[in-house]
Amino acid sequence: QSALTQPASVSGSPGQSITISCTGTSSDVGTYESVSWYQVHPGKAPKLMIYEGTKRPPGISNRFSGSKSGNTASLTISGLQSDDEADYYCCSYATGSTLIYGGGTKLTVL
Amino acid sequence: QVQLQESGPGLVKPSQTLSLTCTVSGDSLIRGAYYWSWIRLHPGKGLEWIGYIYYSGTTHYNPSLKSRVAISVDTSRNQFSLTLSSVTAADTAVYYCARDSGYGTSDYWGQGMLVTISS
């Protein structure tokens, strides 16, 4: 079971939009509508930002959106703000009732 | 408000067994609506799912850890626990417990507990 593939880093200026990709296989991302995205600030617990591919939990800004095409899921953050700077991880349900995380992406707000 | 709290030793010797407990408040494990997960964050690396348990005792584990992991539940105390045997330095990480839908939607997390493997 290999980790989902994410870019190591992305960056953007305040107000801009960025997209983080998360590539899996037909055994996980490509088959199940169960991709979640988590925001991790240093020293803090992960925070659920997107679940079931496109849904936002209560209290999460609509600047955060999720999508999927084939074996690749994406997280888009629009109107970048300084406190969006964090590590972002995708997670997918996978065949065999297991979960698999991506390697994480460091977002830098310039 | 749902809260989870990890507890256990912060230092474990190599080759020994790591044991952690997660105490849940604000929700009941026997309600049966969720799975209860263990996830870890390696220093300088990423998140890794360890496994999860249903209140009935049904478990699912990360295949890469399955031979060394056991997760159990104590519904009378509203707790669930992790044991990881034969630990090495590679098991040094922040260990989190979380409430999960069973499909990777973990909506509540503990604050995390750093466990260091060292002699």
Side-chain angles (χ1 to χ4, degrees):
Chain A
Q1 190 185 46
S2 300
L4 304 175
T5 300
Q6 297 182 233
S9 64
V10 297
S11 62
S13 300
Q16 288 186 333
S17 295
I18 63 94
T19 296
I20 300 171
S21 61
C22 170
T23 301
T25 68
S26 57
S27 295
D28 40 66
V29 175
T31 294
Y32 302 100
E33 304 300 324
S34 299
V35 174
S36 303
W37 289 91
Y38 296 90
Q39 177 190 66
V40 184
H41 283 112
K44 300 289 189 181
K47 180 179 182 180
L48 179 67
M49 307 303 285
I50 296 288
Y51 68 101
E52 294 177 5
T54 61
K55 299 177 182 178
R56 281 186 303 275
I60 299 302
S61 169
N62 60 8
R63 296 186 301 106
F64 292 84
S65 62
S67 62
K68 191 183 89 166
S69 176
N71 293 340
T72 298
S74 298
L75 171 71
T76 298
I77 308 174
S78 60
L80 270 179
Q81 300 177 357
S82 58
D83 60 357
D84 295 333
E85 185 162 294
D87 293 329
Y88 290 85
Y89 293 87
C90 60
C91 175
S92 176
Y93 181 80
T95 302
S97 298
T98 61
L99 302 179
I100 181 167
Y101 279 90
T105 298
K106 181 177 181 61
L107 169 61
T108 300
V109 180
L110 302 170
Chain B
Q1 176 73 346
V2 179
Q3 293 184 316
L4 295 90
Q5 178 68 58
E6 304 89 353
S7 60
L11 180 64
V12 180
K13 289 181 168 52
S15 80
Q16 294 191 342
T17 296
L18 177 160
S19 296
L20 296 175
T21 294
C22 182
T23 300
V24 180
S25 58
D27 193 5
S28 172
L29 270 61
I30 63 173
R31 194 162 64 91
Y34 295 95
Y35 279 77
W36 302 89
S37 264
W38 287 99
I39 302 111
R40 64 184 182 180
L41 178 61
H42 296 272
K45 296 183 181 179
L47 290 170
E48 180 179 33
W49 177 71
I50 300 171
Y52 53 30
I53 190 166
Y54 195 57
Y55 81 100
S56 62
T58 297
T59 52
H60 297 283
Y61 300 128
N62 185 325
S64 68
L65 298 170
K66 189 173 184 177
S67 64
R68 299 194 291 130
V69 171
I71 299 175
S72 59
V73 64
D74 185 342
T75 54
S76 66
R77 297 186 176 188
N78 221 37
Q79 295 175 333
F80 62 106
S81 297
L82 167 71
T83 60
L84 180 65
S85 62
S86 304
V87 297
T88 69
D91 294 309
T92 293
V94 176
Y95 286 75
Y96 295 98
C97 57
R99 187 179 83 166
D100 195 273
S101 65
Y103 293 94
T105 300
S106 295
D107 55 354
Y108 289 97
W109 294 66
Q111 64 185 25
M113 180 165 186
L114 175 62
V115 179
T116 301
I117 310 302
S118 175
S119 55

